[in-house]
Amino acid sequence: MLTSNSKEKERSLSFLCCWYLGRRRVAMLLLLSLAFVVFVLGSYTINKESNSPNIHQSIETMDFGSNQTPISRELTSFYTKESDNDHVRDPFLWNGIGGSDVDVNHPPPFLPSWHHHPCDSFSFPPPPPPGMRRPGPRPCPVCYLPPEEALAHMPKYPFESPLLKNLTYIREESPVKPEESEGGSEFGGYPSLEHRTNSFDIKESMTVHCGFIKGTKPGHQTGFDIDEDILHELDQSHDVIVASAIFGKYDIIQEPVNISEMARKNIPFYMFVDEETHLYLKNTSSYTDDNKRVGLWRIIVVHNVPYTDARRNGKVPKLLLHRLFPNVRYSIWVDAKLQLVVDPYQILERFLWRTNSSFAISRHYRRFDVFVEAEANKAARKYDNASIDYQVEFYKKEGLTPYTEAKLPITSGNGFNHMRMIKFHNFLLFNDHN
């Protein structure tokens, strides 16, 4: 009996084990099948997105990445819809002489013709192969002319302002903060809100605050000081310059690529650094005090920086480049975290000369609203939350409302979005509420 019971138990256990293992195999097969179905559907979805014409139709206007917001989709459709006026298709509208009254069918003789530009026949490259996951912003093919052809489109003469004729910058040897002042700094002065409001009223003659309040000239005893042997270079005349800055060792110098020999010969590349970054360069790169260069970049060391925040110091050359280089026709600013991968002449032709524009600036690919941008700055802990809230409340009192699609064709509540309302720098160069 013991023997028979043992055999029955063994048969029962064997049956249970086979049944259990069979269930596991079936479950594994089901899981593998499910994974295969998900993979096939995912590949189909990505392939469908890749072949969508809307991705590449936004090429020359804005590139919002793979996660477009409702506003970004509306903006894309607004700028890519067919129109009888050629200039409506471009985000940088006609500017300068004639402004929006320029007859696009008969443009002035010194402007490139819209109807015969080589890029009119530009065809978008094929979509990426199916099945490739593409996180982040989509690629943005742009029609650039060869550097030699691009340079040929440079306007022969500068455009004169139709209204402003005389512009003077305020200078004070010993700026004193008034008791009623809303803020300010020794570098930017202490403008009142009345001064600020009046600066928006463009007149034939104007006197404005624009940094470098102290000293005889920008870079000389102003609180943003540059070595005397380099200062004279800033006064030289150039058609085009490229500039960037690194303060507080935040970034590493990235060498521009795809730069033509013509641009290498004629276009200076300037990199502003503070003393901390200068010391770091001497220890980690090919820089020496004799050549003052890292690759194409001419290093300009800044002494006596005006602010304790390296980000704010970096905004001085970024926003006031016209004061540091008063005799330059065109300038390109490249954030140090980015690498310049297109010839400067090609960039200027595409975004300025082709459209007769005087100023071009990039849009943020996701954020269009000042209030959303403020929260993003707070989340990133870039600045003190209280100072950001103060600035936002100030904008609200001036009538700023959240951005909506009803504001089209204005494409961003942030104004010049790349500045992002000067990134809530507490009036940046002019005020200091910290």
Side-chain angles (χ1 to χ4, degrees):
M1 291 294 294
L2 289 174
T3 303
S4 62
N5 288 338
S6 299
K7 289 181 178 179
E8 287 182 4
K9 287 181 179 180
E10 288 179 1
R11 284 197 296 269
S12 299
L13 288 173
S14 176
F15 172 75
L16 289 173
C17 288
C18 292
W19 179 75
Y20 177 71
L21 290 174
R23 289 191 62 185
R24 288 192 62 185
R25 289 174 182 172
V26 171
M28 289 296 294
L29 286 173
L30 288 175
L31 287 175
L32 288 173
S33 301
L34 181 61
F36 178 76
V37 171
V38 171
F39 174 77
V40 171
L41 291 176
S43 299
Y44 172 75
T45 303
I46 293 173
N47 187 29
K48 183 177 179 182
E49 288 182 0
S50 300
N51 287 283
S52 174
N54 291 331
I55 291 176
H56 293 293
Q57 283 179 345
S58 62
I59 297 274
E60 295 185 356
T61 55
M62 59 199 79
D63 181 40
F64 294 106
S66 55
N67 298 320
Q68 283 192 319
T69 63
I71 292 180
S72 70
R73 287 194 293 271
E74 179 65 24
L75 296 178
T76 301
S77 64
F78 174 82
Y79 277 118
T80 56
K81 65 183 179 181
E82 293 185 1
S83 172
D84 294 334
N85 296 327
D86 291 330
H87 68 281
V88 174
R89 295 201 304 263
D90 198 277
F92 302 101
L93 305 183
W94 287 89
N95 193 12
I97 296 179
S100 59
D101 296 328
V102 172
D103 184 356
V104 296
N105 296 315
H106 300 88
F110 53 82
L111 298 178
S113 172
W114 278 93
H115 303 286
H116 303 288
H117 194 281
C119 286
D120 286 345
S121 58
F122 176 63
S123 59
F124 301 122
M132 291 183 61
R133 297 190 176 276
R134 308 186 64 84
R138 298 283 182 172
C140 185
V142 177
C143 180
Y144 291 112
L145 296 184
E148 294 77 11
E149 294 182 28
L151 179 59
H153 285 72
M154 179 189 291
K156 291 181 175 61
Y157 309 104
F159 298 152
E160 294 185 2
S161 170
L163 181 59
L164 180 62
K165 302 299 181 183
N166 302 302
L167 179 62
T168 305
Y169 300 117
I170 293 176
R171 288 177 52 254
E172 299 177 26
E173 287 301 325
S174 300
V176 178
K177 182 177 181 179
E179 293 183 2
E180 70 278 5
S181 174
E182 292 287 332
S185 68
E186 288 194 355
F187 177 78
Y190 300 97
S192 64
L193 291 180
E194 182 181 3
H195 284 144
R196 175 182 177 274
T197 301
N198 291 339
S199 67
F200 299 145
D201 183 16
I202 308 302
K203 296 173 289 188
E204 183 173 340
S205 296
M206 298 183 66
T207 301
V208 298
H209 289 81
C210 196
F212 303 107
I213 290 295
K214 299 186 297 182
T216 57
K217 60 180 298 187
H220 180 70
Q221 298 179 353
T222 59
F224 191 90
D225 299 333
I226 298 171
D227 294 334
E228 292 291 337
D229 60 335
I230 296 180
L231 267 180
H232 74 278
E233 292 186 29
L234 308 189
D235 290 329
Q236 294 178 1
S237 297
H238 296 284
D239 285 325
V240 180
I241 66 166
V242 177
S244 185
I246 299 177
F247 286 80
K249 298 191 306 181
Y250 269 104
D251 300 287
I252 60 174
I253 292 181
Q254 303 197 54
E255 182 69 4
V257 296
N258 303 320
I259 308 300
S260 65
E261 288 300 321
M262 180 174 56
R264 290 173 180 269
K265 180 180 178 181
N266 298 317
I267 299 179
F269 289 70
Y270 294 105
M271 175 68 69
F272 292 87
V273 301
D274 57 2
E275 292 177 345
E276 180 183 6
T277 306
H278 179 225
L279 180 61
Y280 178 77
L281 289 178
K282 293 170 67 174
N283 296 329
T284 60
S285 69
S286 60
Y287 173 88
T288 65
D289 288 327
D290 294 331
N291 61 22
K292 291 184 172 61
R293 288 188 175 277
V294 175
L296 281 177
W297 295 105
R298 175 78 155 101
I299 305 300
I300 299 180
V301 184
V302 179
H303 310 281
N304 304 321
V305 290
Y307 303 110
T308 57
D309 185 352
R311 288 191 183 95
R312 296 184 66 175
N313 291 321
K315 296 301 182 291
V316 173
K318 181 175 183 176
L319 300 180
L320 301 182
L321 205 60
H322 59 286
R323 296 221 58 193
L324 290 165
F325 297 94
N327 299 313
V328 168
R329 290 188 65 188
Y330 298 97
S331 64
I332 297 177
W333 178 267
V334 183
D335 281 354
K337 63 186 176 184
L338 304 177
Q339 181 184 33
L340 185 64
V341 297
V342 178
D343 190 87
Y345 290 126
Q346 295 177 297
I347 294 175
L348 290 168
E349 189 281 328
R350 166 59 188 90
F351 295 105
L352 293 187
W353 305 335
R354 189 184 305 179
T355 55
N356 188 29
S357 300
S358 58
F359 191 82
I361 202 163
S362 62
R363 295 181 180 89
H364 195 281
Y365 69 95
R366 182 173 297 166
R367 293 192 289 272
F368 305 92
D369 193 301
V370 172
F371 304 107
V372 175
E373 179 63 29
E375 294 304 315
N377 275 263
K378 290 163 67 174
R381 299 181 179 180
K382 290 186 176 181
Y383 307 100
D384 177 65
N385 286 2
S387 65
I388 294 178
D389 291 336
Y390 178 94
Q391 198 68 20
V392 170
E393 290 301 318
F394 179 86
Y395 293 144
K396 285 182 179 179
K397 292 177 181 178
E398 289 198 325
L400 181 67
T401 58
Y403 184 79
T404 66
E405 296 177 16
K407 295 185 178 182
L408 288 170
I410 298 175
T411 60
S412 174
N414 290 2
F416 289 134
N417 191 58
H418 184 66
M419 294 181 191
R420 293 182 228 169
M421 299 303 282
I422 318 180
K423 272 193 170 180
F424 307 98
H425 279 281
N426 315 317
F427 291 163
L428 187 63
L429 307 174
F430 311 132
N431 294 272
D432 190 351
H433 295 290
N434 291 329

